[in-house]
Amino acid sequence: MTTLLNKRSLSIGLLVVAIIIPLVTENQYYLHIFSSVFIWTIAVYGLNMIGGFTGQLSLAHAGFFAIGAYGLGVLTVKVGLNFWLSFILAIILTTILGFLIGLIALRTKEHFFAIYTLCVGYIIYLIIYKWEAVTEGVRGLIGIPAPAAIGPITFDSPKSVYYLMLFFLLLSIFLFKRIIDSLVGRTYIAIRNSEELAQTIGIETMKQKLISFVLSTFFAGLAGALYASFIRFIGPDISYISITFDMLMYLLVGGIGTLSGPLVGTLLIIWISQYLQFLQDYRMLIFGPILVLLVIFYPRGISGGVQTWMANRKRKKSKLQIPQNSVVVKEEQ
């Protein structure tokens, strides 16, 4: 009970801090970075859904992110649809394509699945790069509109955009937690731990893996659409495999298979990257060894490591406590 209250108090505290940040600083650079962190965190939650909880490593995640971004961009710039209608359609398009690709991809297992999704991601990149009539190719798609007003609420300032991205992040975390805490989430964990054992107890593993894959593409499409409206210019590079590896690095550092891992890893790595921009050419020389050490000593990342430390500490405390009924009274004969 105390642990639950501590977690709830910490969550409320972090939420309060996130809400008051724009009220205590007028620095647009900080608001821009935080908004970017919120968007990428949503995408990493999608990767955590299929990789962290179902045990399937999808290397096409950046491709689905790009589909969401280009879906919004094309529908607003080329077709001329309303922003929020285009926003919803872009997410639906990403999810449908995720379903169709997942039907084939999930017939493969383990490293074959990773290789297949890697190929799918590269095909998405080539389509975006070559289909100039729709995507503008290497020139990129410019003129993407900012989020349209909702009644009296407008999004024409960095502060209002910050709160919009925070809203979608909180919504994503809420949906993610509800899924993971449900019977469906426990099914995903069972498949991750042993797919064969999950099948023996009656779990339809193919169906559940497909649902997990589709949910991961939903989060990727949502993040991509938000990114397009935030940056307002997109190019083929957002679908490249290096973007998937960046998101995977955020997840591994934060804690794969944990609720807070995507937020912790994304926030930490992006802020460190901003402070080390003068070493951008040597970025992987810095993060590479750190990632290797984390995988060796903290395979569950920062969040997983903290959870393990707290569990060990609680176990040691319980061993040190002397049970009240442990005193044995010897009767005199």
Side-chain angles (χ1 to χ4, degrees), residues 94-115:
T94 308
T95 307
I96 292 173
L97 290 175
F99 173 77
L100 297 175
I101 292 171
L103 283 174
I104 303 172
L106 290 166
R107 296 184 183 277
T108 60
K109 293 183 179 181
E110 299 174 353
H111 55 280
F112 295 108
F113 175 79
I115 293 170

Side-chain angles (χ1 to χ4, degrees), residues 26-150:
E26 296 294 331
N27 193 316
Q28 295 187 7
Y29 172 74
Y30 289 153
L31 296 181
H32 179 89
I33 297 300
F34 273 116
S35 299
S36 179
V37 167
F38 297 158
I39 294 170
W40 287 110
T41 301
I42 295 171
V44 177
Y45 269 110
L47 191 60
N48 196 26
M49 176 72 72
I50 185 68
F53 284 90
T54 317
Q56 307 291 315
L57 179 60
S58 173
L59 296 179
H61 206 64
F64 293 111
F65 178 88
I67 291 172
Y70 271 92
L72 176 71
V74 171
L75 289 173
T76 51
V77 176
K78 298 277 188 176
V79 182
L81 292 180
N82 170 270
F83 175 86
W84 290 112
L85 176 60
S86 301
F87 183 82
I88 295 170
L89 290 176
I91 298 172
I92 293 174
L93 174 64
T94 308
T95 307
I96 292 173
L97 290 175
F99 173 77
L100 297 175
I101 292 171
L103 283 174
I104 303 172
L106 290 166
R107 296 184 183 277
T108 60
K109 293 183 179 181
E110 299 174 353
H111 55 280
F112 295 108
F113 175 79
I115 293 170
Y116 183 88
T117 53
L118 174 64
C119 296
V120 169
Y122 191 66
I123 290 170
I124 293 173
Y125 167 76
L126 288 177
I127 291 173
I128 293 173
Y129 189 86
K130 297 293 184 180
W131 200 4
E132 295 187 4
V134 175
T135 65
E136 298 296 334
V138 70
R139 294 189 298 274
L141 199 59
I142 62 174
I144 300 172
I150 302 176

Side-chain angles (χ1 to χ4, degrees), residues 5-272:
L5 289 174
N6 289 338
K7 288 182 178 179
R8 186 171 297 176
S9 300
L10 179 61
S11 300
I12 294 173
L14 291 174
L15 177 59
V16 170
V17 170
I19 291 173
I20 66 173
I21 282 176
L23 304 178
V24 298
T25 178
E26 296 294 331
N27 193 316
Q28 295 187 7
Y29 172 74
Y30 289 153
L31 296 181
H32 179 89
I33 297 300
F34 273 116
S35 299
S36 179
V37 167
F38 297 158
I39 294 170
W40 287 110
T41 301
I42 295 171
V44 177
Y45 269 110
L47 191 60
N48 196 26
M49 176 72 72
I50 185 68
F53 284 90
T54 317
Q56 307 291 315
L57 179 60
S58 173
L59 296 179
H61 206 64
F64 293 111
F65 178 88
I67 291 172
Y70 271 92
L72 176 71
V74 171
L75 289 173
T76 51
V77 176
K78 298 277 188 176
V79 182
L81 292 180
N82 170 270
F83 175 86
W84 290 112
L85 176 60
S86 301
F87 183 82
I88 295 170
L89 290 176
I91 298 172
I92 293 174
L93 174 64
T94 308
T95 307
I96 292 173
L97 290 175
F99 173 77
L100 297 175
I101 292 171
L103 283 174
I104 303 172
L106 290 166
R107 296 184 183 277
T108 60
K109 293 183 179 181
E110 299 174 353
H111 55 280
F112 295 108
F113 175 79
I115 293 170
Y116 183 88
T117 53
L118 174 64
C119 296
V120 169
Y122 191 66
I123 290 170
I124 293 173
Y125 167 76
L126 288 177
I127 291 173
I128 293 173
Y129 189 86
K130 297 293 184 180
W131 200 4
E132 295 187 4
V134 175
T135 65
E136 298 296 334
V138 70
R139 294 189 298 274
L141 199 59
I142 62 174
I144 300 172
I150 302 176
I153 304 173
T154 59
F155 305 101
D156 52 1
S157 67
K159 185 182 295 185
S160 60
V161 171
Y162 170 94
Y163 282 122
L164 178 66
M165 302 308 167
L166 177 61
F167 166 78
F168 278 108
L169 174 61
L170 295 175
L171 178 62
S172 299
I173 294 174
F174 173 77
L175 293 174
F176 187 88
K177 190 175 187 307
R178 289 296 299 269
I179 293 168
I180 295 307
D181 289 344
S182 68
L183 182 59
V184 174
R186 298 181 189 279
T187 301
Y188 296 160
I189 296 172
I191 295 172
R192 179 193 66 189
N193 293 339
S194 176
E195 187 171 343
E196 291 76 14
L197 181 59
Q199 288 176 336
T200 60
I201 61 176
I203 296 175
E204 298 181 50
T205 55
M206 177 63 184
K207 176 183 175 181
Q208 296 301 328
K209 287 193 297 182
L210 181 59
I211 294 173
S212 176
F213 187 79
V214 170
L215 286 171
S216 76
T217 60
F218 166 82
F219 284 110
L222 171 61
L226 290 172
Y227 180 83
S229 65
F230 177 64
I231 300 298
R232 304 182 67 182
F233 165 81
I234 50 176
D237 56 312
I238 65 169
S239 63
Y240 202 60
I241 186 62
S242 61
I243 302 298
T244 298
F245 286 135
D246 283 345
M247 289 189 280
L248 186 58
M249 179 171 63
Y250 302 157
L251 181 58
L252 290 174
V253 170
I256 188 168
T258 64
L259 179 63
S260 58
L263 179 59
V264 172
T266 307
L267 182 64
L268 184 65
I269 298 298
I270 288 182
W271 272 104
I272 291 176

